[in-house]
Amino acid sequence: MAYCTYACKEYPGMETCPGRFEAETEEELWKHIELHASVAHKEDPALWSSEDRAQVEALIRRPA
Protein backbone atom coordinates (compact mmCIF):
# COMPACT_ATOMS: atom_id res chain seq x y z
CA MET A 1 0.00 0.00 0.00
CA ALA A 2 1.23 3.50 -0.86
CA TYR A 3 1.39 6.24 1.73
CA CYS A 4 1.53 10.03 1.90
CA THR A 5 4.61 11.41 3.66
CA TYR A 6 5.84 14.70 5.12
CA ALA A 7 9.27 15.64 6.48
CA CYS A 8 9.31 18.67 8.77
CA LYS A 9 12.92 19.50 7.88
CA GLU A 10 11.81 20.40 4.35
CA TYR A 11 9.82 23.37 5.69
CA PRO A 12 11.94 26.56 5.62
CA GLY A 13 13.45 27.23 9.05
CA MET A 14 12.89 23.66 10.28
CA GLU A 15 16.01 22.11 8.73
CA THR A 16 17.17 20.54 12.02
CA CYS A 17 13.82 18.91 12.87
CA PRO A 18 13.85 15.10 12.57
CA GLY A 19 10.04 14.84 12.41
CA ARG A 20 8.88 12.66 9.52
CA PHE A 21 5.40 11.25 9.11
CA GLU A 22 3.69 8.66 6.95
CA ALA A 23 -0.02 7.87 6.71
CA GLU A 24 -2.50 6.12 4.47
CA THR A 25 -4.52 9.28 3.82
CA GLU A 26 -3.80 12.99 3.63
CA GLU A 27 -6.41 13.60 6.32
CA GLU A 28 -4.52 11.34 8.74
CA LEU A 29 -1.20 12.86 7.71
CA TRP A 30 -2.47 16.38 8.47
CA LYS A 31 -3.42 15.23 11.97
CA HIS A 32 0.16 14.05 12.54
CA ILE A 33 1.61 17.27 11.10
CA GLU A 34 -0.61 19.48 13.27
CA LEU A 35 0.03 17.48 16.43
CA HIS A 36 3.77 17.59 15.78
CA ALA A 37 3.65 21.36 15.26
CA SER A 38 1.77 21.77 18.55
CA VAL A 39 4.00 19.53 20.66
CA ALA A 40 7.44 19.89 19.11
CA HIS A 41 7.30 23.50 17.91
CA LYS A 42 4.73 25.01 20.32
CA GLU A 43 2.69 26.29 17.38
CA ASP A 44 -1.08 26.54 17.12
CA PRO A 45 -2.04 25.14 13.69
CA ALA A 46 -5.39 26.96 13.96
CA LEU A 47 -3.39 30.19 13.61
CA TRP A 48 -1.51 29.13 10.47
CA SER A 49 -2.13 31.40 7.51
CA SER A 50 -3.44 30.04 4.24
CA GLU A 51 0.07 30.59 2.84
CA ASP A 52 1.61 28.46 5.63
CA ARG A 53 -0.88 25.67 4.94
CA ALA A 54 -0.19 25.88 1.21
CA GLN A 55 3.54 25.59 1.88
CA VAL A 56 3.01 22.47 4.03
CA GLU A 57 0.64 21.06 1.38
CA ALA A 58 3.33 21.52 -1.30
CA LEU A 59 5.76 19.42 0.78
CA ILE A 60 3.44 16.43 1.14
CA ARG A 61 4.61 13.54 -0.99
CA ARG A 62 1.82 11.46 -2.49
CA PRO A 63 1.95 7.97 -3.95
CA ALA A 64 2.61 7.80 -7.68
Side-chain angles (χ1 to χ4, degrees):
M1 171 161 278
Y3 295 95
C4 300
T5 62
Y6 174 80
C8 192
K9 69 181 179 181
E10 293 179 3
Y11 193 92
M14 299 293 175
E15 291 82 6
T16 61
C17 182
R20 187 177 191 295
F21 309 96
E22 184 176 280
E24 284 189 45
T25 66
E26 284 189 49
E27 180 181 348
E28 181 185 355
L29 184 62
W30 272 102
K31 290 178 183 179
H32 289 289
I33 293 168
E34 291 175 349
L35 178 63
H36 172 74
S38 295
V39 174
H41 301 294
K42 307 299 185 229
E43 294 179 11
D44 182 351
L47 300 177
W48 288 350
S49 68
S50 56
E51 292 82 12
D52 291 334
R53 287 194 174 273
Q55 196 163 12
V56 170
E57 177 75 26
L59 297 173
I60 293 175
R61 303 292 175 239
R62 294 158 183 87

